[in-house]
Amino acid sequence: LYYSSTVFFLILFSSCPVLECWFVQEKTGRGGLSANQETSLLHIRTDSHTAETQPAPSDIPPDRVYFITDPAATLCHRSLNPPRGSVEKPRCEMIPFLPQPSTLKWVAPLTDSASSPIYLQADWFSTSLQGLNRQLAISTVTRAPTATKEHDVVLSVTSKTVFVQSRLGKPVLLDCGFWVDPSSPLSGSGFAVEWRYQFRGDGRLVLAYDGKADRLAKAQEEGATLDFDGLHQKGNASLILPEAKVHHSGMYICTVYLPYLVAQVAMELEVVEPPSLSIHPSPLPLTVSGQTLTIQCEASGFVPLSMELSWEFKGTDGKSRPLGSGSVTGHRQAWDGTYSQSTRLELDTTKLDLGRGGEVTCVAVHLGDPRQASVTLNVIGFSSPSIEDSMAMVGVALVLYGLIKFVSWTFTSSGSDEAVQQDKVMFTKCTIF
């Protein structure tokens, strides 16, 4: 949350925000463990000597006002500093943090020799933030001398890909970066990076990297990798997936470990692929007025599952009208995890005024993109034939006449009066027709 009152603000020369943040602390009572929430105020600055503040507002306890120094300016991102009066606010939660060693085999070596008991004797907090419109996710670990409110950011982990959509088969980059205070005794003792996946209660390790030994400790996702040069030089811990697959959709957690410290950010990946549509039969057979025609539309290769199928008809007059969803089948899943579904339309030319025909369209509404497939419908034999139909029938008669005349010339003498007479009679019949 962001405190937008005109009374409390960071002094000039700083574009960093003043953040309202939930301070969450666990308490043990008669009913067991419970969480107590209080509103706190965070004054963000990049230098502890350049910011001054006004007194805290009356509704915020004085002991919940903190001054956070962030030399990397991660907490000064514009998504954490909305315009004054904005309804939407950043999300912020702060909890007490207890530094401790990790037993994970790719993290445990960090505390073999990197022991800083005096440095760890302080007040530590872990803060999680999410910017407006999910532009940014940040997790920080801050340190303050015991019983003081002047905190320094020791470790920050960020992601600019809080929510990512990817087409099936395309490469995916899940952003994760970290910064360590170079003045901290923990900064030169190595680090470790871990990526985990979660989806509907299912969780698995994607990749684990031991930065102290410079080795990939564990990789369970085929093809998943990191930019190892960028990891050591710039703190770029982004996960690279060479080819998005259906089972990649879910929540990813990037965790960065220092000796005794840990911070993590979460992001969501959604793999999306629109359906491919096909209509059967195609082309449609010539339909006689009064006949019922069955048309089927097959949608295949789409993900996620949700999709709507419907039919439309566009007449020769250019006007469109809905024909309903038809008879829709259940979903079927292919070997690659994508789905297929079909709809069958019973087109009764007796009940539906389709005129001389038009265009029948299958419409699929899907998260990936809407899709359409069309076929042409021709209806004959209805009352009040048009000029076009009459001309078409005359054309057919003339073609038939030409064929018959050609055959007649082939098998009879061209000078035969009888043949000539037959031609005249035939021509007369065709014309009358």
Side-chain angles (χ1 to χ4, degrees), residues 74 77 79 129-131 134-139 156-164 173-178 195 235-239 252-254 264-268:
T74 303
H77 192 271
S79 67
L129 306 100
Q130 188 175 109
R134 298 199 289 185
Q135 295 180 47
L136 185 72
I138 305 175
S139 178
S156 64
V157 180
T158 63
S159 176
K160 297 177 183 177
T161 56
V162 181
F163 177 75
V164 179
L173 177 70
L174 297 177
D175 177 70
C176 181
F178 69 96
W195 279 91
N236 179 11
S238 301
L239 180 69
Y252 288 80
I253 301 172
C254 173
Q264 60 183 209
V265 289
M267 61 211 78
E268 184 181 356

Side-chain angles (χ1 to χ4, degrees), residues 206-221:
V206 177
L207 180 148
Y209 176 74
D210 181 351
K212 185 175 182 179
D214 190 21
R215 66 184 181 89
L216 201 60
K218 203 166 187 178
Q220 294 186 349
E221 183 66 46

Side-chain angles (χ1 to χ4, degrees), residues 118-129:
I118 297 177
Y119 179 73
L120 296 178
Q121 293 175 8
D123 290 339
W124 294 84
F125 289 93
S126 175
T127 307
S128 298
L129 306 100

Side-chain angles (χ1 to χ4, degrees), residues 284-365:
L284 296 179
L286 198 63
T287 305
V288 179
S289 180
Q291 178 183 355
T292 298
L293 183 65
T294 301
I295 312 174
Q296 182 164 312
C297 177
E298 179 79 17
S300 60
F302 63 91
V303 68
L305 186 68
S306 179
M307 183 184 64
E308 293 182 6
L309 288 171
S310 61
W311 295 90
E312 292 179 358
F313 175 75
K314 184 178 181 180
T316 55
D317 56 0
K319 295 181 179 180
S320 298
R321 53 175 163 150
L323 297 176
S325 59
S327 179
V328 181
T329 66
H331 292 87
R332 302 176 299 278
Q333 193 167 22
W335 63 271
D336 62 353
T338 61
Y339 297 95
S340 62
Q341 191 177 28
S342 61
T343 174
R344 187 177 69 252
L345 178 66
E346 300 288 340
L347 201 58
D348 189 345
T349 57
T350 303
K351 297 180 180 179
L352 298 172
D353 182 15
L354 303 179
R356 298 184 302 277
E359 191 175 68
V360 179
T361 301
C362 175
V363 180
V365 178

Side-chain angles (χ1 to χ4, degrees), residues 95-168:
I95 60 174
F97 178 81
L98 178 64
Q100 56 186 336
S102 172
T103 57
L104 292 171
K105 63 180 181 180
W106 49 87
V107 184
L110 297 178
T111 52
D112 286 346
S113 58
S115 179
S116 304
I118 297 177
Y119 179 73
L120 296 178
Q121 293 175 8
D123 290 339
W124 294 84
F125 289 93
S126 175
T127 307
S128 298
L129 306 100
Q130 188 175 109
L132 298 177
N133 302 316
R134 298 199 289 185
Q135 295 180 47
L136 185 72
I138 305 175
S139 178
T140 66
V141 177
T142 59
R143 178 188 181 275
T146 304
T148 67
K149 304 302 176 185
E150 302 282 338
H151 280 252
D152 294 319
V153 175
V154 178
L155 170 65
S156 64
V157 180
T158 63
S159 176
K160 297 177 183 177
T161 56
V162 181
F163 177 75
V164 179
Q165 275 191 345
S166 173
R167 291 289 294 269
L168 195 65

Side-chain angles (χ1 to χ4, degrees), residues 359-381:
E359 191 175 68
V360 179
T361 301
C362 175
V363 180
V365 178
H366 187 264
L367 181 64
D369 267 330
R371 289 287 189 266
Q372 294 186 356
S374 301
V375 287
T376 301
L377 173 68
N378 291 306
V379 181
I380 62 172

